Amino acid sequence: MTSSLKGKKIVLGVSGGIACYKAVELLRLLVKEGARVFVVMSRNAKKFVTPLTFEALSRNPVYHKVFDSADSASMEHIRAAEAADLLVVAPATAGTLGKMAHGLTDDALSTLFVAFRGPVLVAPAMNDGMYDNPAVRANIETMQSRGIGFIDPEVGSLACGVVGLGRLAEPEKILAAVRDRLARAWDLAGRQFLITAGPTREFLDPVRYISNPSSGKMGYAVAEAARDRGAQVTLISGPTPLKPPPGMRVFACKTAQEMRTLVLDHLASTEILVMTAAVGDFAPEQVQKEKIKKQGDEPIQIRLLPTPDILREVAKSKTGQFVVGFAAETENLVESAREKLLKKDLDMIVANDVSAPGIGFQSDTNQVTFLDRSGTVEQLPLLSKREIAHRLLDRIAAKLSSNPQTGS
Ligand code: C5P
C-alpha cells in the first residue's frame, strides 16, 4: 500500500510532560506510514523519555542539545531537520508554547522552531487550569495568527488527577492532522492576500438598509485556504454571522463606501486581491438621521445612487497586483463575466449562476466558472466552497509562479 507520508520528512518536537509517552506512539505511527522522522526534544522532555527511545524508533539521531559547533555531524542533521516538510510539536507544554509564541530559544526544540520555515502543527497538553489561562490563550492566538495549526487537546483524566480539558489528542488524531496538512500545498508562503467577503449594507436611516443574502462563506473559505497555504491574509468583511477566522487580520465594515476605503488603504501592501464580497451596487442618496416615519398609506420615494465600484477604482491605482473578481449572474453567465473581467481590468473572474438552486449565496456548495485574460474558460463541477477556494488558489499560484513580477 502506498502511504501518504512516504518520503516526507517530519520533525517531531517533544516537550516535557507526562504525555511524552504518546509522542513515542506518534513516532511509531509516522515511521510506519513511511515518513522520515527527526525527533527534537526540549530540555524537560528528557526527564520523561530518554532520547534513546526516540532514536531507536526513528533510526535517526535525536536533537536534544543546542548545537555545539565542534560537532559537524549533528549540524548536518539539524540542517536536514530545518528543511523538513513539517514540524509537529506533540506534546506542547504551556512553557514550550510560551517560548514558541515569543521566539525565545533556550533548548533544542525552541531553537529549532525559530529556525524552521515550513508549516508547523502544535498539539498542546497541560492541565485544564493552565490551558484556560489568559496568557496561554493569548500565546495560542498569536501562533494561530502566524499560520500555525493546532490540534486541540481533549477532555480526560489529567496527570494532576482531575478530569478536564488538556489531555493530549490521541496519536491517531495527530497523525490525521499531519496527513491533512501535508496533503495541502504550501505554495503561497509569505504572499500578501487581501480578500473581501460578505454583503454590504446601504443604510436608508439608522435602522434600515438595503443588502443582499451573501453569507460571506465563499470569501472566508478563500481567506482560510490562502492562510493554510502559507499566505499572509487580510480579510475585509461585510456583516456576516461567521466568526473571524484565526491566523489573519480581519477588518469589519458595513457599507460599500467603508469597504472601498479599507481596500484602497491596504492595496499598496497587497500582492493578490480577491474581491469576493457582494458589494451593493446602489445606496440611498441620503441616509436619514432619524428613523423614517410611516406617512399613512402614502408611498415613499428613495433615490438610489450607484456605489463606488471598488474594482474599477483599484484598476486605476494598482501597481502590479493580481486581481480576482467574482460575478454573481442570473443570465448569460460567461458573456457577462467576460465583460466584467475587461471592464474592471481583472486578471481572473469567478462567475456563478445565482439563479440555480443549491449554489451561490448562503449555500456551502457552489458551481463556478473561472475566466482569465487569456480567454480560458473553465467550468467546475458542484463543489464545496472550501474546494473551490483551493482550486482558485491553485490557478493563482500557477499564474504567480509563471509571472514572478506580480506584486513586486
Ligand atoms: O458589477 P458586479 O457587482 O457584478 O461585479 C462583481 C465584482 O465587482 C465582485 O468582485 C465585487 O466584489 C466587485 N464590486 C466592486 N464594487 C462594487 C460592486 C462590485 O468592487 N461597487
Side-chain angles (χ1 to χ4, degrees):
M1 192 183 83
T2 356
S3 155
S4 61
L5 298 184
K6 203 157 180 60
K8 296 288 181 194
K9 264 200 269 170
I10 295 171
V11 182
L12 172 60
V14 183
S15 62
I18 199 76
C20 275
Y21 74 93
K22 286 191 183 170
V24 176
E25 175 61 8
L26 176 62
L27 169 60
R28 209 184 55 76
L29 294 175
L30 292 168
V31 169
K32 201 166 138 210
E33 292 258 331
R36 227 176 119 199
V37 187
F38 298 86
V39 176
V40 51
M41 300 175 78
S42 74
R43 190 178 300 113
N44 285 337
K46 288 184 281 180
K47 295 180 188 157
F48 292 86
V49 180
T50 67
L52 190 62
T53 308
F54 289 115
E55 198 164 309
L57 282 171
S58 68
R59 297 204 192 94
N60 275 317
V62 170
Y63 177 32
H64 58 91
K65 286 189 286 210
V66 178
F67 174 60
D68 163 2
S69 62
D71 183 0
S72 61
S74 65
M75 185 67 182
E76 211 174 281
H77 280 100
I78 296 160
R79 285 272 167 263
E82 282 172 13
D85 299 296
L86 179 82
L87 165 62
V88 54
V89 183
T93 59
T96 288
L97 283 179
K99 283 188 267 176
M100 290 169 80
H102 297 280
L104 302 175
T105 58
D106 72 346
D107 61 13
L109 175 55
S110 50
T111 306
L112 185 113
F113 167 72
V114 172
F116 191 74
R117 294 214 201 104
V120 179
L121 279 179
V122 176
M126 61 196 76
N127 90 28
D128 52 345
M130 289 165 105
Y131 190 62
D132 210 27
N133 185 291
V136 174
R137 308 301 321 157
N139 287 337
I140 291 176
E141 273 170 33
T142 300
M143 286 197 275
Q144 283 178 325
S145 75
R146 296 174 186 152
I148 293 175
F150 274 78
I151 305 147
D152 294 336
E154 294 168 359
V155 176
S157 44
L158 305 171
C160 54
V162 299
V163 173
L165 177 64
R167 201 170 70 162
L168 182 70
E170 288 306 315
E172 287 75 15
K173 196 170 159 198
I174 302 175
L175 176 71
V178 166
R179 270 208 214 100
D180 190 51
R181 185 59 144 169
L182 287 173
R184 275 191 223 139
W186 187 251
D187 50 359
L188 297 171
R191 293 285 192 180
Q192 304 286 336
F193 271 73
L194 181 61
I195 297 165
T196 64
T200 61
R201 288 179 182 170
E202 310 308 331
F203 284 85
L204 283 69
D205 67 20
V207 293
R208 299 189 183 94
Y209 53 80
I210 302 171
S211 191
N212 61 64
S214 166
S215 61
K217 286 178 185 170
M218 190 66 241
Y220 279 56
V222 176
E224 288 173 355
R227 173 203 63 198
D228 292 346
R229 290 165 75 149
Q232 301 287 317
V233 178
T234 301
L235 174 64
I236 297 176
S237 177
T240 83
L242 304 175
K243 276 210 221 129
M248 62 187 74
R249 292 194 301 164
V250 184
F251 294 89
C253 62
K254 288 198 179 112
T255 64
Q257 188 61 46
E258 288 165 5
M259 189 172 275
R260 169 194 174 272
T261 306
L262 282 167
V263 169
L264 296 180
D265 281 355
H266 288 93
L267 191 62
S269 55
T270 295
E271 290 175 88
I272 301 103
L273 168 65
V274 186
M275 278 289 299
T276 320
V279 185
D281 288 325
F282 308 99
E285 186 174 26
Q286 276 188 338
V287 184
Q288 300 301 321
K289 284 212 171 60
E290 308 298 337
K291 187 178 166 196
I292 301 167
K293 296 230 164 23
K294 243 166 105 177
Q295 317 259 318
D297 290 336
E298 286 302 300
I300 65 156
Q301 294 217 348
I302 295 160
R303 216 166 105 87
L304 299 176
L305 296 182
T307 54
D309 190 315
I310 304 172
L311 280 177
R312 288 184 87 160
E313 293 194 32
V314 164
K316 284 187 231 142
S317 50
K318 66 183 175 182
T319 51
Q321 286 87 349
F322 189 91
V323 182
V324 183
F326 271 66
E329 305 292 350
T330 52
E331 54 186 346
N332 301 330
L333 184 74
V334 171
E335 296 88 284
S336 312
R338 185 175 291 123
E339 223 173 85
K340 276 177 200 168
L341 177 89
L342 299 175
K343 200 165 72 181
K344 302 188 184 215
D345 192 20
L346 307 175
D347 295 286
M348 256 185 97
I349 193 157
V350 181
N352 67 324
D353 179 354
V354 284
S355 65
I359 64 176
F361 291 139
Q362 305 281 340
S363 144
D364 288 326
T365 54
N366 205 354
Q367 205 214 319
V368 301
T369 303
F370 294 154
L371 289 90
D372 69 13
R373 293 186 81 87
S374 67
T376 308
V377 178
E378 185 189 357
Q379 196 186 343
L380 270 58
L382 184 69
L383 295 168
S384 69
K385 288 184 172 172
R386 183 175 184 272
E387 183 57 30
I388 292 172
H390 277 291
R391 301 242 185 146
L392 172 64
L393 295 175
D394 290 345
R395 306 298 174 279
I396 296 174
K399 294 207 186 274
L400 293 179
S401 64
S402 65
N403 177 14
Q405 295 300 306
T406 302
S408 59

